[in-house]
Amino acid sequence: MPKKTIITCAITGAVHTPTMSPYLPVHPDTIAEQAIAAAEAGAAILHLHARHPETGAPSVDPAYFADMLPRIREATNAIVNITTGGHPKMTVAERIPPALTYSPEMCSMNMGSLNFALHPLADRYSKWKHDWEEPYLRDSENNIFRNTFADIRSVAEQLSGAPHHVNFEHECYDVGHIHNLNFCLRRGLFEGPVFLQFVMGILGGITADLDNLMFMKQTADKLFGDAYEWSVIGAGGQQMRMASVAAQMGGHVRVGLEDSLYISRGELAQSNAEQVEKVVRILREQGNEPATPDEARVTLGLKGYDKVNF
């Protein structure tokens, strides 16, 4: 049987702000509701950030995760993937407490530093719902999203072994980040097979075009052989196109309002589930079958839902 395609849905993230879409979930209740609906639509993995429930500002306060994780677990069997990226202005020490608190099956792991730039988004709006939004975006012009080798080692040492046994989604924003992962594997920080997420289309990282996707895949093939799984994020307008091609190449896919606020050109998505439903249709029409959460657990070698702390 052909390998099934794992769909990840990134529910809210730390890129978009409340002004940009009335459908972006920011309260723990709406994040949980949209996560559950995305799982029901076909997402096997739910990638979760938290936000301040009143302002919508990105937050890594474990208390906000406490308001949504039990609801998600009660309602769905989907794999929960908690961010260790937080938002680009946070240190690793600030980002990691939710993962340490709740010991999920998976966490994201950024594999290198980059100029994670959001400032062009601020030019699209003249009025803002909250005072924090515009400076948050504009100040990113001068920001480096820090993920040094020491940072990567710190996260790996705290989460990969006992008592957590977390598996990582290794987020690679450029080709050099794939080589960083290979270096870390040779140093014994991680054990294969690994799960790579090619993050494409962020200003400061590799652009979301097909030549770059081929190059990322060829680089991973050269370094890891068949001892890895991979997925792709096409930020913004390239979301569905990159997902479609990645699945045809044997990879997995990620959608969600963290990566794009739109369902088609000029039309805001009204929920994360709407994007999941669309990518499910695309996958099935081209002959790819979405994986269930338990099938994804087997493919990725996860510890299981019974070993999380929520």
Side-chain angles (χ1 to χ4, degrees):
M1 292 291 292
K3 182 176 68 177
K4 293 188 177 181
T5 304
I6 299 169
I7 300 172
T8 297
C9 187
I11 305 299
T12 188
V15 172
H16 300 117
T17 72
T19 293
M20 298 177 185
S21 172
Y23 308 112
L24 180 71
V26 297
H27 192 278
D29 288 346
T30 54
I31 294 172
E33 290 166 3
Q34 289 216 27
I36 292 165
E40 291 172 346
I45 300 174
L46 302 171
H47 177 60
L48 297 180
H49 290 241
R51 290 177 179 258
H52 191 286
E54 295 180 2
T55 67
S59 173
V60 289
D61 187 337
Y64 298 148
F65 285 89
D67 292 336
M68 55 187 172
L69 290 175
R71 289 184 57 190
I72 292 170
R73 179 170 183 181
E74 182 179 2
T76 175
N77 188 38
I79 298 158
V80 169
N81 174 346
I82 293 179
T83 180
T84 67
H87 71 67
K89 296 184 180 182
M90 292 178 174
T91 66
V92 161
E94 292 171 323
R95 302 177 212 157
I96 200 171
L100 291 172
T101 301
Y102 299 109
S103 191
E105 294 180 82
M106 292 188 71
C107 286
S108 61
M109 165 77 81
N110 300 287
M111 292 312 302
S113 303
L114 72 153
N115 298 333
F116 197 113
L118 308 173
H119 58 283
L121 294 174
D123 296 333
R124 302 180 185 180
Y125 306 92
S126 58
K127 296 181 180 180
W128 302 89
K129 289 184 178 179
H130 303 284
D131 292 342
W132 67 268
E133 296 179 71
E134 185 175 13
Y136 173 77
L137 296 172
R138 294 201 184 278
D139 289 351
S140 70
E141 184 179 13
N142 192 43
N143 187 59
I144 294 174
F145 187 19
R146 174 184 159 140
N147 298 284
T148 66
F149 283 112
D151 293 333
I152 294 167
R153 176 172 53 80
S154 174
V155 176
E157 290 176 348
Q158 293 181 74
L159 289 174
S160 61
H164 297 292
H165 298 291
V166 167
N167 282 41
F168 294 104
E169 170 214 326
H170 297 277
E171 298 199 343
C172 298
Y173 294 78
D174 216 327
V175 175
H177 293 178
I178 305 175
H179 288 278
N180 291 352
L181 174 56
N182 186 51
F183 171 82
C184 292
L185 278 167
R186 289 189 281 109
R187 287 296 181 98
L189 287 182
F190 310 110
E191 295 182 359
V194 289
F195 181 37
L196 280 69
Q197 186 74 257
F198 299 153
V199 186
M200 310 184 73
I202 298 294
L203 181 59
I206 199 165
T207 56
D209 64 58
L210 298 183
D211 286 342
N212 284 337
L213 177 59
M214 300 297 177
F215 185 41
M216 297 278 273
K217 176 66 165 57
Q218 290 166 358
T219 302
D221 286 343
K222 179 176 67 175
L223 295 176
F224 310 124
D226 59 0
Y228 79 103
E229 296 287 338
W230 66 282
S231 177
V232 69
I233 297 168
Q238 295 301 312
Q239 183 184 69
M240 295 296 170
R241 180 169 180 253
M242 300 303 286
S244 172
V245 175
Q248 292 178 59
M249 294 170 60
H252 307 290
V253 304
R254 183 171 120 170
V255 297
L257 297 183
E258 173 174 348
D259 305 328
S260 175
L261 293 175
Y262 292 85
I263 191 64
S264 59
R265 184 175 296 275
E267 181 183 355
L268 289 171
Q270 296 187 29
S271 68
N272 282 276
E274 188 178 14
Q275 290 186 349
V276 175
E277 290 165 356
K278 180 172 181 176
V279 81
V280 166
R281 290 196 302 271
I282 291 170
L283 292 177
R284 285 183 168 150
E285 286 175 3
Q286 66 185 26
N288 299 104
E289 184 62 25
T292 67
D294 283 339
E295 289 168 339
R297 286 184 174 94
V298 172
T299 297
L300 301 177
L302 304 186
K303 65 182 180 180
Y305 223 166
D306 59 328
K307 295 180 176 64
V308 301
N309 189 30
F310 57 88

